[in-house]
Amino acid sequence: ASCHARDMKTKSTGPALAGAEQAWAEYPRADLYAWIRNSQAMIAKGHPRAVQIWNEYKPTIMTSFTALTDDDIESIMLYIQ
């Protein structure tokens, strides 16, 4: 809530949440889940989309959410839609 705009459409400290699924559409769904759980690990691996987002928003580091299940993330994505 503190890093993403309340309207989910505007960029803030982090990217707009609306459109996140489309932004990751060319990658396996598991990559989006991995990004949400631990963005820095994805950046360290050199994932192209992760690095692109990092280059736009660094030095702000996204909080890791390692305890989220796939179902938790899907629920978040449904809420955003």
Side-chain angles (χ1 to χ4, degrees):
S2 64
C3 296
H4 300 282
R6 196 173 198 164
D7 68 4
M8 295 189 221
K9 297 176 185 173
T10 307
K11 293 180 180 182
S12 187
T13 303
L17 294 176
E21 290 181 277
Q22 293 81 7
W24 285 85
E26 68 182 89
Y27 303 101
R29 189 84 169 166
D31 289 3
L32 174 59
Y33 294 166
W35 168 257
I36 292 168
R37 287 189 184 109
N38 188 341
S39 64
Q40 290 300 297
M42 294 287 287
I43 294 162
K45 289 180 183 177
H47 188 284
R49 181 70 181 129
V51 170
Q52 179 184 22
I53 296 168
W54 172 246
N55 286 334
E56 187 172 346
Y57 290 94
K58 66 184 174 185
T60 303
I61 296 174
M62 183 170 137
T63 304
S64 293
F65 300 99
T66 56
L68 291 177
T69 66
D70 289 355
D71 285 342
D72 293 335
I73 295 170
E74 279 302 314
S75 293
I76 293 166
M77 293 291 107
L78 287 170
Y79 177 80
I80 292 167
Q81 287 180 8

